[in-house]
Amino acid sequence: MAEHKLTRRDFLKVSVITVLGAALQACAKATPVPEPTKPPVAAPTATPKPAEPTKPPAPTATPKPVAKYNEAPALAELVKAGKLPPVAERISLEPLVIEPVEETGQYGGTMNVLMDITLGTNFMCIGTSEMMLRWDRAVKTIIPNVAKKWEVSGDGKVFTLYLRRGIKWSDGQPFTADDVMFFFEDVIGNKEITPAFPTEFVVGGQPVKAEKIDDYTVRLSFVKPHGFLPQYLASGARHWRPKHYLKQFHAKYTPKEQLEAKAKEAKFERWDQLFTQKDDWYNLQNPDYPVIQAWYPTTPPPSTRYSFKRNPYYWKVDPKGNQLPYVDEVVVSIVEGAEVVKLKTVAGNSDLQYRSIEFGDYPLLKENTEKGGYRVFLWENPRGALPAFMPNQNCKDEVLRKLIQEDKFRIALSYAINRQQVNEMVFLGAGKPRQATEASSSPVYKEEYGKAYAEYDPKKANALLDEIGLTKRDAEGYRLRPDGKTLFLLVETPGEDPATTAQVELLKRYWKDIGIKTELQNLERAIFRNRVYAGDVSIGTWLLDYVYYPYNPIFTVPISQSTYWAPAYGQWYATGGKAGEEPTGDLRKLQIIWDELKEVIDPPKQIELFRQLYDLHAKHCWIIGIVGEVPQPIVVSKKLRNVPEKGLYSWTHGQYVGWSQMEQYFFKG
C-alpha cells in the first residue's frame, strides 16, 4: 500500500482543541523570617558523583546542633499562648540543615495545587518525599534524610540505619526505631495486612530480618547480598508507621473482638481493612494520621479541597536556624479531569503544577505566562518512551497471542512507525525518536538499544508479516489472521495522556499501511489495569519510567503483574510459581538474570548484567517505543521562589519534585 503523506495541519484535524479561560489568583502576603543571633553550622554537603547508582555511599556526618532557632510567627503566637512547646523543644536534636536553592525564605502564604480526580490526593505524599534516605538535588548521589547515616557490611548483607535523635511526629510524639520496627514486623510482616512480602525486601527467597539495636538504630539483615537497598530506602514507600496511633487498630495490640466490632461499624468485613483505611500514609485523607512531613493533613474525605497545615514539629531548618517549612499551608484542590487542571493552571490558579501537564501544553502555557502570573520551567524527563506500547504476551485471544509472541510480528509493528514524524507532530520536535529502552543518561545505555528496529521501513515491516504467513487480506485490504478474521489490534490506555491518544491516531495510519486495523480505547486507570491483569488487553500502554538508574526493572523484567507486557509471567515470579504462568526461553532468562543481579554489590558487574537484560530486549522487541525523553513542563507562580529551574522529572528518583525539597519553597513579596 502507498504511504500516507501526513502534514501537521492534517494531524491537527483529528486533535481536540480546548479553549482555556483566564482568571486571576490572589497570593497571600509572606512574613519576613527573623535573623537569628548566631547562625548554626550547616550540614556537610555530599559531593555529586558520576552516575554509579548501585554503590553503597559512605555514611554522612550529622550536622552540629544550632545555637538558636526561629519559627513562623503563627507558631510563635501559639508558644506564647502556652499551646505549643518552645521551638527548641520541638525541633530534632539532630536537625537536617537544608540549603535554600536561591535565598533564605520568608514565612507565610498558602500554596495552591490542582489534582485531577482520577489521580487522587497523593500530591503531598509525593511532593514532600520524606524517605529514609534521599537523592541529592543533582539526582546522582544518595544522601541522609530521616536516617542521619547508614553502614553496609562488607558482604552487602547487613545494613545499619542510624535515625536522627529527637524527631517528633506532627502530634508531638517521639519518632523512634519502634516506628520502623512496626512497619517491618506489623505492617509488611503481617500476612492479613500484607499478603505478599514486598519483593524489594526479599533476597535469596528470604525476607529481611529487622532488629532494633536501640531507640535510634535499626539493623536490616539478608541471607544474601542486597545490591539495591539504599536505592529502595531513597524511593517509594515510607519505611515506618506511627505505632502510637496505628496500634489501636492492630490485632496484635488491641483485642480482635473490639477491632472486628469497630470494622463492622465502619462498614468493613475485617479488622485489617479498617487498619488499612486508617494507615493512610499515601493519600493523606485521614486528619488524625500523624506524619513527619512538613505539612500534616487536616481535611476528612470526601472533599474537593484538602488543606495541609504547617507541621510545628518539623525537624529541618535552614542554615540560619529558621524552622522549615516556610509556607504556612498547602491546599490541594480536586478537579474533574486533566483539561480542567490545564484550564485553571493557565488562568493562574495553581502555584505549582506538573501533574496533568504535558509537553504538548507548553506553547499555550508560555503564551499565557503574564496573564497567569507564572513561569514555565522545562525539566529533564528520563522516561524511555511516552508511552511504551506493550503487546501482551499473555493475551487471552489464543490466535492473537501466538502472533504477539512471534518476534517478527512485533518487529514489523516497530518498523512501520515513522518516529520522526510523531516527534514533530506530537512533541514539536522536542523529544527523541527511539526504541523503548533505558534513558540515554543511564550508565547502562548503549546506542544500539535506542536504535533497535526503530528506523521507519514499511517495506521491511510488510516483508516480515508476509514471512509469518499473514498474506491474505479482506475486502478493505487488511490482513487476515490464521483463523480467517481481520487482523485487528485494540490499543488500550489509562486515558490520562493526550499525547498517547495523539500517537495512536498516527499509529492507526502507519499500521493500516502494513495491513493491520487499529483502534484506540481510553479507560480509567483501575479498569485498564484489571483488564491487563486478566489478559483482556492485546496492546496496552504506559509511560516508560524506572529507566534512569535501573534498580527497579518492573517494565524490563516480568517480576509482577505490573509488567504490563507479560503480567501472567510477572505474577508467576512474584508468587513463587503459585499463580500466573511460567515463562520459557529468553523470557525466563530475564528473571534468572534479575535474580543474580539483585544480589550483586559491585557496580561494574551490575551494569554488565543490566546490559544482558537490555541485549535481550534489543533482540526481541518485547515492548515498542516511539518517542522518549520529552521535557516536562513545571508551572511555577512568579511569587513562589526556591524552585529549581532545572531538574530531573523522575518518579523513582525523588518522586518528580520531591528531590527539590518543597519545604524550602517560599512566597516572595
Side-chain angles (χ1 to χ4, degrees):
M1 288 187 176
E3 175 192 344
H4 285 287
K5 300 297 183 182
L6 187 64
T7 66
R8 182 168 178 79
R9 177 176 293 179
D10 295 329
F11 178 64
L12 289 174
K13 289 179 182 178
V14 299
S15 300
V16 177
I17 301 173
T18 304
V19 180
L20 301 181
L24 296 176
Q25 176 192 34
C27 294
K29 292 184 178 180
T31 305
V33 170
E35 290 293 324
T37 56
K38 183 178 179 181
V41 179
T45 302
T47 303
K49 301 176 182 178
E52 292 185 0
T54 53
K55 185 176 181 180
T60 301
T62 302
K64 296 179 181 179
V66 300
K68 178 178 172 58
Y69 297 113
N70 299 297
E71 63 191 342
L75 297 183
E77 290 299 319
L78 292 175
V79 172
K80 285 182 183 179
K83 296 180 180 180
L84 270 182
V87 61
E89 295 178 18
R90 303 196 314 267
I91 290 179
S92 166
L93 297 173
E94 300 171 319
L96 180 58
V97 180
I98 302 297
E99 186 71 38
V101 168
E102 297 173 292
E103 59 183 300
T104 300
Q106 300 170 339
Y107 282 128
T110 296
M111 186 168 76
N112 289 284
V113 299
L114 302 164
M115 287 290 282
D116 178 354
I117 193 170
T118 63
L119 297 177
T121 58
N122 57 27
F123 173 86
M124 288 306 293
C125 174
I126 294 170
T128 52
S129 192
E130 294 297 358
M131 308 297 183
M132 187 69 73
L133 310 175
R134 71 179 303 132
W135 292 90
D136 67 358
R137 289 181 189 155
V139 196
K140 297 290 185 185
T141 304
I142 294 176
I143 59 176
N145 196 48
V146 172
K148 64 183 180 181
K149 66 176 182 178
W150 71 101
E151 295 172 348
V152 185
S153 63
D155 60 6
K157 296 180 182 179
V158 181
F159 299 77
T160 305
L161 306 173
Y162 298 90
L163 307 178
R164 293 182 189 279
R165 292 181 300 130
I167 292 179
K168 294 182 176 65
W169 292 94
S170 54
D171 60 3
Q173 293 298 309
F175 174 92
T176 69
D178 289 336
D179 298 303
V180 179
M181 294 301 297
F182 185 81
F183 168 78
F184 282 101
E185 293 182 344
D186 300 322
V187 179
I188 65 172
N190 183 290
K191 290 187 177 180
E192 290 180 89
I193 297 172
T194 312
F197 206 86
T199 56
E200 62 264 34
F201 292 111
V202 178
V203 178
Q206 296 295 316
V208 64
K209 178 183 178 183
E211 300 172 85
K212 175 183 173 181
I213 306 304
D214 57 41
D215 283 346
Y216 297 102
T217 310
V218 175
R219 179 177 296 146
L220 303 178
S221 303
F222 298 87
V223 295
K224 290 188 177 182
H226 194 318
F228 301 106
L229 187 64
Q231 284 77 10
Y232 289 131
L233 293 177
S235 305
R238 306 297 185 265
H239 301 109
W240 55 80
R241 292 292 191 274
K243 180 178 180 178
H244 69 282
Y245 170 72
L246 286 175
K247 67 181 183 180
Q248 64 182 309
F249 307 108
H250 199 293
K252 179 178 175 180
Y253 303 94
T254 300
K256 198 168 184 179
E257 315 81 65
Q258 293 182 23
L259 286 181
E260 296 294 358
K262 286 183 179 180
K264 288 180 181 178
E265 186 179 341
K267 298 183 180 179
F268 292 112
E269 295 180 0
R270 304 185 311 272
W271 74 269
D272 57 285
Q273 294 171 321
L274 175 65
F275 179 91
T276 300
Q277 182 204 45
K278 297 298 183 181
D279 183 23
D280 189 23
W281 66 272
Y282 189 61
N283 289 312
L284 293 174
Q285 293 184 6
N286 177 2
D288 297 326
Y289 193 78
V291 299
I292 61 170
Q293 284 118 282
W295 299 271
Y296 65 90
T298 66
T299 309
S303 179
T304 58
R305 185 182 187 278
Y306 288 87
S307 170
F308 297 83
K309 300 289 188 181
R310 167 194 303 285
N311 178 0
Y313 294 93
Y314 195 53
W315 42 281
K316 296 182 184 180
V317 299
D318 70 15
K320 294 182 178 179
N322 300 306
Q323 185 188 26
L324 299 172
Y326 294 129
V327 173
D328 284 333
E329 178 186 26
V330 181
V331 171
V332 180
S333 295
I334 309 300
V335 300
E336 197 68 44
E339 291 305 323
V340 179
V341 171
K342 292 168 187 176
L343 183 154
K344 289 181 173 290
T345 299
V346 170
N349 295 142
S350 177
D351 295 309
L352 177 70
Q353 199 63 42
Y354 55 94
R355 302 308 301 269
S356 301
I357 299 295
E358 307 297 336
F359 185 80
D361 305 317
Y362 182 68
L364 184 62
L365 290 167
K366 286 292 289 182
E367 183 181 339
N368 288 276
T369 53
E370 291 303 317
K371 185 187 296 184
Y374 57 76
R375 301 165 289 165
V376 185
F377 302 152
L378 286 179
W379 284 8
E380 177 190 349
N381 190 342
R383 285 170 170 158
L386 280 80
F389 291 81
M390 303 181 178
N392 189 351
Q393 295 279 323
N394 308 129
C395 176
K396 272 184 183 175
D397 183 325
E398 288 296 332
V399 175
L400 198 52
R401 176 182 175 129
K402 287 181 180 179
L403 286 177
I404 288 174
Q405 290 181 344
E406 167 61 59
D407 284 0
K408 291 180 180 179
F409 181 75
R410 299 188 306 275
I411 292 169
L413 295 179
S414 184
Y415 275 139
I417 302 169
N418 188 334
R419 289 169 171 81
Q420 189 63 47
Q421 188 177 68
V422 174
N423 187 36
E424 294 296 331
M425 291 188 170
V426 180
F427 300 109
L428 307 177
K432 294 181 181 179
R434 69 200 305 277
Q435 192 52 272
T437 189
E438 278 293 293
S440 58
S441 54
S442 166
V444 171
Y445 182 75
K446 292 196 294 187
E447 190 174 0
E448 52 261 42
Y449 298 158
K451 290 184 175 181
Y453 311 117
E455 67 265 33
Y456 177 50
D457 196 333
K459 288 184 179 179
K460 275 187 182 178
N462 273 308
L464 286 170
L465 295 177
D466 289 343
E467 281 181 35
I468 60 177
L470 299 175
T471 55
K472 295 180 181 179
R473 298 185 182 245
D474 65 13
E476 295 182 77
Y478 291 112
R479 294 176 186 269
L480 297 178
R481 304 179 351 162
D483 60 0
K485 296 180 181 179
T486 296
L487 180 49
F488 170 69
L489 297 177
L490 181 64
V491 178
E492 301 186 46
T493 86
E496 299 165 3
D497 178 21
T500 298
T501 301
Q503 288 177 80
V504 176
E505 291 300 328
L506 291 168
L507 273 186
K508 288 163 64 174
R509 294 170 178 253
Y510 300 144
W511 287 349
K512 182 178 181 180
D513 285 344
I514 60 170
I516 297 176
K517 188 174 184 177
T518 310
E519 290 297 339
L520 167 68
Q521 180 166 288
N522 288 326
L523 301 166
E524 191 273 329
R525 181 184 288 209
I527 295 173
F528 167 77
R529 281 176 168 161
N530 288 335
R531 282 182 55 77
V532 171
Y533 300 156
D536 293 327
V537 173
S538 55
I539 295 185
T541 72
W542 202 263
L543 300 171
L544 188 63
D545 212 333
Y546 306 91
V547 290
Y548 177 52
Y549 290 161
Y551 63 87
N552 186 342
I554 193 169
F555 295 126
T556 309
V557 182
I559 58 173
S560 80
Q561 279 190 316
S562 294
T563 306
Y564 295 140
W565 56 275
Y569 298 154
Q571 186 184 35
W572 178 88
Y573 180 89
T575 62
K578 295 178 182 178
E581 300 176 36
E582 181 178 5
T584 59
D586 282 349
L587 284 162
R588 175 67 181 123
K589 188 174 181 181
L590 290 174
Q591 296 173 338
I592 294 170
I593 294 171
W594 173 243
D595 282 338
E596 179 183 358
L597 179 54
K598 64 184 180 181
E599 297 176 12
V600 172
I601 60 175
D602 177 56
K605 179 64 175 176
Q606 288 178 333
I607 290 174
E608 176 190 334
L609 289 170
F610 269 121
R611 285 179 173 165
Q612 288 182 24
L613 297 176
Y614 282 98
D615 286 343
L616 291 174
H617 273 272
K619 173 184 175 182
H620 291 286
C621 194
W622 283 305
I623 55 179
I624 300 168
I626 300 179
V627 178
E629 302 185 30
V630 180
Q632 172 64 38
I634 310 292
V635 181
V636 183
S637 165
K638 287 184 177 180
K639 293 186 177 182
L640 189 65
R641 311 307 299 185
N642 280 348
V643 184
E645 292 189 18
K646 300 292 182 182
L648 186 80
Y649 189 76
S650 170
W651 168 256
T652 49
H653 299 79
Q655 295 187 278
Y656 301 135
V657 302
W659 58 267
S660 69
Q661 298 172 305
M662 278 176 51
E663 60 269 19
Q664 53 90 49
Y665 293 2
F666 76 99
F667 287 102
K668 188 171 185 177

